[in-house]
Amino acid sequence: MENFSLNCELVKKFIIEFIKEEVHSNGFNRCVIGLSGGLDSVLVAYLSKEALGKENVKAIIMPYKTSNPASKEDALTAVTHLGILHETIDITKIADTYFKKEKEMTNIRMGNFLARSRMSILFDKSREFKALVMGTSNKSELILGYSTWYGDMAASFYPIGDLYKTQIFKFAQFMQIPKKIITKKPSADLWPGQTDEKELGAKYIQIDSILTLYVDQRKTKDEIIALGYSQKIVESLLNRIKKTQFKRTFPPVAKFSPRTFGLDFLYPHDLGK
Amino acid sequence: MKIKIALAQINPLLGDIEKNREKHLEFIEKAIENNAQIIVFPELSITGYRLKDFTMEVALPANSNFFNPILKQSKKIDIAFGFVERGKDNNIYNSAMYIENQSIKSVYQKIYLPTHGMFQELRFMGKGEKITTFKTIYGNFSMLICRDLFHPSLLFLTYAQKTDVVLGMSGMPLRGVTGKKPAIQETVEKAIDTYTNFFSQFIVFVNRVGFEDGLGFYGGSFVGTPLGKKLAFAGILQEKLTFATIDLEEIYKKRQLFPLAREEDLNIVQDNLRRILEENYGKF
């Protein structure tokens, strides 16, 4: 397995400065976070509070009827611990009104719909609270595309988007996040019994080792397998990266003018901030 | 000669040259109040770094009136800063300007523009070709910009021209967070340690701070001296103005203690370079 050591003090300082500058330079003081009670969103809440102050951070908790009750409890534990603002909006009625009209709702369709309903509420709340929407995606899920496009991926920026999940477990301890939130099985909690590792087919330490070998060290598939990783898992993960590339790019525009968005109209995101 | 140098570790706004000029004037004012004789700003301090297509919209000729308020202050202090230059040849350059007593002493066009991974400089700017030493009232100076500092050949060329003080003006993003310091900071400090030791020069390293599109410039400005001292450490990730008083006498002392400069033979370098170019690149 690869080494995921981290200078937590340095990373904390860097991310806090990043949050401050992104929020303030965009003309805001506040942020909203969709707080599921999972480790990633809780970690972002902890970092946001340190960067912006508790009065400027609002957690929106959005359970559905099948959500694990422990998730909401964990979210409330974090909120109480941090003293940040929060609001709970049950999305069961909103989602079920739609689901009832549809005949064959699969887990994936339902999961995506729930993620996008939460996104819709979160962006509305950001307008109400005059705030930016914090992204809570980590590097493992961004690179695997293991998230809903325009759902939980929708955000103003990603403060923990360059940390693998394995690093997040360590970093969360440093940030003194309650142990029960760190040690529970990572899950998108989109349907009962769902866990990341079951769905991705391997433990996070394996997944992240393969990812860092491929992404950061630019090893080939064969080189990674030769190191002793399962061919099936390596192939499945690398396939996921390829198949989900569309989620990480600006959608193509059919080009015929001299300057076209995404191709040769290349302005930085942060221009004039 | 002793010189008090101010290191302006600033966070320029991306693309807002008026506000950045204001920030330069504020830092210059503070440096003057502290009796500094020279103030050094980072790479592209007037424009910000990750401009992409906006590069063309902030490009200015070195003699533009826009710089007049800064030029005016150079009666009281020498000033080095970075800007996007609209060159006389109608090309755009990542440049640095040194001004003294209301006149431009030198404009340096960055030679090595990184264009890989997160860097896209050659896509928007042209490559400089000339590295010079210029005389100031304080001694012989050269300017290098960011990636240039990772090419020992350029440091050697300043040494060969008897540069006393190299101004290394940078916009280096942080990467590598496993060690005690950011990995990039370790790399820079090791390089500067080596150059100052073997070339017996001073290197004034001024790196910017702030975030642009997720890139976080780490700062960590300092002055490296020929005797291996590190002065005026600015720390990381915060705007700061620090001061270092350097004594050029150190160069003399170092060159007597460790007389590499006396041994240096530029003819051997030239003969071998010619041969290498002929044998490997088919040109002269």
Side-chain angles (χ1 to χ4, degrees):
Chain A
M1 298 299 155
E2 289 305 295
N3 175 14
F4 287 95
S5 62
L6 209 58
N7 178 340
C8 293
E9 188 83 48
L10 174 61
V11 171
K12 179 182 167 188
K13 187 172 174 165
F14 189 74
I15 294 177
I16 286 174
E17 288 303 319
F18 170 73
I19 294 173
K20 274 189 205 167
E21 189 160 333
E22 283 299 319
V23 172
H24 295 152
S25 67
N26 278 287
F28 290 84
N29 292 312
R30 299 159 161 183
C31 73
V32 293
I33 303 165
L35 194 68
S36 65
L39 183 55
D40 295 341
S41 59
V42 169
L43 175 59
V44 171
Y46 272 62
L47 290 161
S48 303
K49 183 220 158 185
E50 292 235 13
L52 307 172
K54 61 181 179 185
E55 66 284 2
N56 292 319
V57 180
K58 188 168 192 177
I60 312 292
I61 304 166
M62 295 169 281
Y64 177 65
K65 67 184 179 195
T66 61
S67 300
N68 184 347
S71 300
K72 189 180 163 188
E73 271 171 41
D74 290 341
L76 290 170
T77 303
V79 161
T80 313
H81 191 216
L82 292 170
I84 56 174
L85 305 167
H86 75 285
E87 191 175 340
T88 302
I89 299 167
D90 191 306
I91 62 167
T92 305
K93 267 191 195 162
I94 296 169
D96 281 352
T97 306
Y98 177 72
F99 292 157
K100 269 179 209 155
K101 290 180 185 164
E102 295 297 305
K103 284 183 190 137
E104 288 175 32
M105 285 307 286
T106 60
N107 277 347
I108 294 285
R109 283 183 66 191
M110 285 177 75
N112 280 340
F113 188 85
L114 294 176
R116 290 186 183 121
S117 302
R118 290 181 177 122
M119 177 277 292
S120 197
I121 291 167
L122 201 52
F123 273 80
D124 179 61
K125 286 288 159 188
S126 78
R127 175 63 67 162
E128 183 193 32
F129 191 52
K130 297 186 177 64
L132 290 182
V133 176
M134 299 294 267
T136 60
S137 300
N138 62 53
K139 187 168 184 171
S140 313
E141 74 186 21
L142 281 174
I143 196 67
L144 292 172
Y146 186 58
S147 45
T148 301
W149 197 30
Y150 300 117
D152 50 320
M153 276 186 83
S156 303
F157 50 88
Y158 298 122
I160 59 167
D162 215 9
L163 286 171
Y164 288 107
K165 189 76 179 188
T166 303
Q167 293 172 311
I168 283 178
F169 293 134
K170 286 184 192 173
F171 188 49
Q173 284 175 15
F174 175 82
M175 291 295 296
Q176 296 180 321
I177 288 172
K179 208 172 171 193
K180 64 168 184 166
I181 299 178
I182 302 177
T183 51
K184 67 181 175 181
K185 282 197 184 325
S187 167
D189 198 14
L190 291 172
W191 54 84
Q194 184 192 24
T195 73
D196 295 5
E197 291 178 338
K198 210 190 289 176
E199 227 176 333
L200 296 169
K203 295 268 176 213
Y204 260 118
I205 180 68
Q206 275 177 304
I207 294 169
D208 290 342
S209 292
I210 294 166
L211 293 181
T212 193
L213 286 164
Y214 181 71
V215 175
D216 303 301
Q217 300 178 38
R218 308 216 56 163
K219 300 258 192 228
T220 64
K221 184 178 83 177
D222 292 342
E223 286 168 342
I224 299 170
I225 293 165
L227 288 169
Y229 293 95
S230 136
Q231 180 170 352
K232 194 176 149 213
I233 295 166
V234 173
E235 280 176 354
S236 136
L237 295 178
L238 299 197
N239 269 342
R240 268 185 188 270
I241 298 177
K242 269 190 205 145
K243 277 191 182 164
T244 57
Q245 181 54 18
F246 71 94
K247 295 186 184 182
R248 292 180 293 269
T249 53
F250 189 77
V253 176
K255 178 180 172 67
F256 36 76
S257 77
R259 294 180 80 202
T260 308
F261 306 110
L263 288 170
D264 37 29
F265 184 84
L266 300 174
Y267 288 88
H269 176 277
D270 286 352
L271 187 64
K273 288 172 190 164
Chain B
M1 179 187 281
K2 286 189 180 174
I3 319 165
K4 187 168 181 180
I5 303 178
L7 285 63
Q9 179 169 296
I10 63 166
N11 176 7
L13 290 162
L14 186 54
D16 193 335
I17 58 174
E18 274 84 16
K19 281 196 183 146
N20 288 332
R21 182 175 59 184
E22 278 309 303
K23 186 171 277 193
H24 279 63
L25 293 171
E26 282 166 28
F27 274 72
I28 289 167
E29 198 59 54
K30 277 186 229 159
I32 294 169
E33 280 166 20
N34 283 278
N35 301 313
Q37 289 145 302
I38 303 170
I39 182 166
V40 184
F41 288 89
E43 175 181 20
L44 297 175
S45 56
I46 288 286
T47 57
Y49 178 74
R50 205 179 151 79
L51 296 154
K52 299 168 89 175
D53 273 357
F54 205 66
T55 308
M56 191 179 160
E57 297 174 46
V58 293
L60 291 167
N63 63 1
S64 163
N65 289 339
F66 176 82
F67 298 118
N68 283 354
I70 299 176
L71 217 62
K72 203 175 153 201
Q73 290 293 64
S74 71
K75 278 194 274 187
K76 300 175 201 155
I77 188 169
D78 285 16
I79 303 161
F81 61 90
F83 69 112
V84 175
E85 184 191 2
R86 179 177 168 168
K88 288 178 188 148
D89 60 357
N90 283 318
N91 212 338
I92 289 178
Y93 296 98
N94 179 342
S95 294
M97 194 190 315
Y98 188 100
I99 52 181
E100 181 175 273
N101 200 16
Q102 301 205 82
S103 78
I104 299 173
K105 281 273 152 180
S106 180
V107 176
Y108 169 71
Q109 296 168 340
K110 183 174 182 177
I111 292 178
Y112 292 115
L113 295 99
T115 304
H116 64 98
M118 64 181 148
F119 301 109
Q120 305 184 24
E121 292 185 31
L122 273 175
R123 183 164 182 168
F124 304 101
M125 290 179 283
K127 181 183 169 78
E129 289 177 344
K130 199 170 174 189
I131 173 103
T132 59
T133 295
F134 53 97
K135 284 200 186 313
T136 72
I137 51 174
Y138 304 110
N140 295 337
F141 279 53
S142 291
M143 291 184 285
L144 290 180
I145 302 176
C146 207
R147 177 56 64 91
D148 290 338
L149 287 166
F150 290 166
H151 288 268
S153 51
L154 291 188
L155 275 296
F156 173 78
L157 290 172
T158 69
Y159 166 64
Q161 296 174 82
K162 311 219 179 302
T163 292
D164 302 314
V165 181
V166 173
L167 307 180
M169 301 153 77
S170 285
M172 289 200 192
L174 181 143
R175 54 251 200 227
V177 290
T178 55
K180 200 165 167 237
K181 288 179 182 176
I184 183 71
Q185 188 180 9
E186 296 277 8
T187 304
V188 168
E189 289 177 10
K190 272 184 204 159
I192 289 179
D193 254 353
T194 308
Y195 300 144
T196 51
N197 186 27
F198 292 120
F199 298 147
S200 49
Q201 300 169 317
F202 288 89
I203 298 182
V204 179
F205 174 72
V206 181
N207 188 31
R208 61 163 292 184
V209 291
F211 287 84
E212 288 180 1
D213 286 11
L215 265 61
F217 302 93
Y218 80 87
S221 307
F222 72 101
V223 177
T225 84
L227 292 174
K229 284 180 267 182
K230 288 192 177 69
L231 309 173
F233 250 120
I236 64 166
L237 304 176
Q238 297 287 344
E239 274 199 334
K240 209 159 176 187
L241 183 66
T242 57
F243 300 93
T245 301
I246 64 168
D247 188 353
L248 295 187
E249 184 70 7
E250 238 191 73
I251 299 174
Y252 171 68
K253 292 286 186 309
K254 180 67 187 244
R255 289 190 180 182
Q256 299 316 311
L257 289 165
F258 194 25
L260 299 177
R262 205 161 67 205
E263 295 163 9
E264 200 64 53
D265 190 330
L266 293 182
N267 285 315
I268 292 180
V269 176
Q270 175 170 280
D271 290 349
N272 280 281
L273 259 184
R274 277 173 192 266
R275 180 186 53 75
I276 292 164
L277 283 169
E278 269 174 9
E279 287 175 7
N280 296 281
Y281 303 96
K283 61 183 174 187
F284 195 63

